Amino acid sequence: MRDAGHRGRMAADPKAQPFVRAVAYSLRGAVYAFHTEKNLKRDVWLFTCLAIAEWCLRPNLWQAAITVFVSMCVFAAEMFNTAIELAVDVASGWTQHPVAGMAKDVASGAVTFVAFGALAIAAWLVASNWPFHFWLWSRHNLGAVALVTVWLAAVWAVRLWPYRVDVEIKRPRKEGETT
Ligand SMILES: Nc1ncnc2c1ncn2[C@@H]1O[C@H](COP(=O)(O)OP(=O)(O)OP(=O)(O)O)[C@@H](O)[C@H]1O
């Protein structure tokens, strides 16, 4: 994780309603993470593959809801991990410290646990829909398709939302460092 310094521009209108401001700030954080974290970018594509699989295999609404919830947990875990990395980098002043390293490793371990849980859910989904039927062009379980499609659109909206760099995040250069 790289980072430092900021140019001090607010993302949300300070005069806006507190709820609107809170939503704007959380969107700003999510957009930042989805534009800068390679793991989140990869997870967006994995979620897209999951949606395509669900369009074809048509799990029922409950199964679709559970897979969407678990996928959002994976995204959330990655964002917590990013937040912890940023906080650790600021707190340690981008210097090496065993506690800083351990904090990052614990956060990364948490993401791994959630990811393995998601794999277990994926295995359950495959097992409970076996043998597979190809339902892509049918009206079978349309509610599940609608649910997954709405969430896919929401995830891609965050991923493609224009990212305004109002907080410049990069490790400060050390003396004598050229790149
Ligand atoms: N300040 C630090 N002091 C000691 N060890 C650190 C420090 N920063 C990172 N590390 C070690 O290096 C590893 C990688 O840290 P880094 O900040 O590069 O994460 P990253 O590879 O960018 O993670 P991600 O790919 O999730 O963004 C950490 O898991 C930790 O073990």
Side-chain angles (χ1 to χ4, degrees), residues 5-104:
H6 86 75
R7 296 190 206 139
R9 275 182 61 190
M10 302 281 277
D13 178 358
K15 281 179 252 144
Q17 291 287 321
F19 176 74
V20 174
R21 253 187 302 156
V23 170
Y25 285 134
S26 45
L27 258 179
R28 182 176 76 146
V31 168
Y32 165 78
F34 275 71
H35 278 75
T36 56
E37 283 300 312
K38 59 183 184 314
N39 291 344
L40 274 167
K41 292 180 187 173
R42 181 207 56 210
D43 290 347
V44 170
W45 283 109
L46 287 176
F47 186 56
T48 306
C49 293
L50 174 76
I52 293 170
E54 295 197 8
W55 287 337
C56 296
L57 304 179
R58 298 293 165 91
N60 63 38
L61 189 56
W62 271 106
Q63 290 172 328
I66 289 170
T67 57
V68 166
F69 178 73
V70 170
S71 302
M72 294 310 120
C73 288
V74 173
F75 285 123
E78 287 287 3
M79 284 190 270
F80 279 128
N81 184 36
T82 302
I84 288 168
E85 284 180 347
L86 287 170
V88 166
D89 282 336
V90 170
S92 65
W94 287 269
T95 57
Q96 293 291 304
H97 191 286
V99 177
M102 186 54 75
K104 288 189 178 185

Side-chain angles (χ1 to χ4, degrees), residues 123-140:
W124 161 74
L125 190 70
V126 167
S128 54
N129 284 283
W130 188 264
F132 294 147
H133 295 282
F134 191 75
W135 297 103
L136 184 58
W137 310 115
S138 83
R139 301 172 70 85
H140 184 68

